[in-house]
Amino acid sequence: MARTDRTGIWPLIHAERAALAADLADLDEDAWRTPSLCAGLTVREVLAHLTAGASLNGIRWFAGVVRCRFDFDKQVRMRLDEQLGSSGADTLARFDAVRGGTTTPPLPRPAILGETIVHGSDIRRPLGLVRAFPTDTLVTLARYYAGTDQVVVAKGRIGGLHLRADDSDFEAGSGAPVVGSTLALIMAMTGRVDYCAELTGEGAAVLAQRAVMS
């Protein structure tokens, strides 16, 4: 059974942060410049974004929003730049320093887990790294995204579709079927076109088109 209570989410977040740090430990500077699945960002910049999220409490987050005149994209870039450091190794050291913390902007805990897993996959995929995510962790996240558009549009993206994982008991929605791994479904729900090729079913093309338009 997937763990969804508040006290159970932080250990999942910490475990995923630790796994990501370990996977990136041996990258050279060329690898750090690899384009991520986040358009316009390198894998190093995405990691800096994760560090920024783990370093901001509600007060600092809101102060940044005001400073950027409520331009949320500008705030994301500003906070990312603060955590980029002087090299890839420095960026990783900054992430490693906060990976066990519980500081967070005003976001639901499952959304923090989602940031870690989705952005971790945005980093790993272009680098050819594969993470064997715990099934319960992925199911917890998939159920969260299927039920909300908070932070990232996911529930709205899968309207009229029936998602079914072929490697877990995750299932959501009704309509044209979309079948694939739990991770691929999560990544498609959050607009990652790269993972849509792994999905099958009558609704797969619809979900892929919605991901392109995000």
Side-chain angles (χ1 to χ4, degrees):
M1 179 178 178
R3 294 163 286 187
T4 57
D5 63 284
R6 177 174 175 174
T7 57
I9 291 291
W10 276 116
L12 304 185
I13 295 168
H14 292 155
E16 291 310 318
R17 287 175 177 170
L20 181 58
D23 282 348
L24 303 179
D26 297 325
L27 292 192
D28 59 27
E29 287 302 318
D30 283 341
W32 281 113
R33 289 189 286 269
T34 302
S36 75
L37 295 189
C38 290
L41 297 181
T42 65
V43 298
R44 181 181 168 200
E45 289 171 319
V46 175
L47 188 67
H49 169 65
L50 286 175
T51 304
S55 306
L56 288 175
N57 59 24
I59 294 173
R60 287 195 68 228
W61 176 84
F62 186 70
V65 169
V66 172
R67 179 179 171 186
C68 294
R69 299 176 182 240
F70 292 85
D71 183 332
F72 294 98
D73 290 338
K74 184 177 179 180
Q75 141 128 308
V76 166
R77 184 72 227 190
M78 177 184 75
R79 296 304 189 187
L80 181 163
D81 288 341
E82 289 175 352
Q83 300 297 337
L84 200 55
S86 60
S87 66
D90 191 14
T91 307
L92 180 58
R94 288 166 182 257
F95 177 71
D96 204 44
V98 299
R99 65 179 173 84
T102 56
T103 300
T104 175
L107 295 174
R109 301 301 181 267
I112 303 298
L113 177 64
E115 285 272 297
T116 310
I117 290 178
V118 172
H119 283 321
S121 298
D122 289 336
I123 290 170
R124 286 186 177 100
R125 181 95 159 190
L127 293 171
L129 300 173
V130 178
R131 161 91 171 132
F133 293 98
T135 300
D136 278 0
T137 299
L138 290 182
V139 172
T140 293
L141 183 58
R143 288 175 178 163
Y144 168 72
Y145 278 136
T148 185
D149 285 327
Q150 188 172 11
V151 183
V152 59
V153 174
K155 181 181 178 181
R157 188 173 279 120
I158 64 172
L161 301 174
H162 176 210
L163 273 59
R164 180 173 61 81
D166 57 14
D167 60 353
S168 75
D169 64 357
F170 170 68
E171 217 168 339
S174 61
V178 181
V179 182
S181 70
T182 314
L183 178 62
L185 292 171
I186 288 170
M187 297 300 283
M189 275 193 279
T190 55
R192 272 58 182 184
V193 179
D194 197 68
Y195 280 80
C196 291
E198 300 176 12
L199 304 176
T200 60
E202 294 175 12
V206 175
L207 184 52
Q209 182 60 33
R210 292 174 182 175
V212 169
M213 295 171 64
S214 62

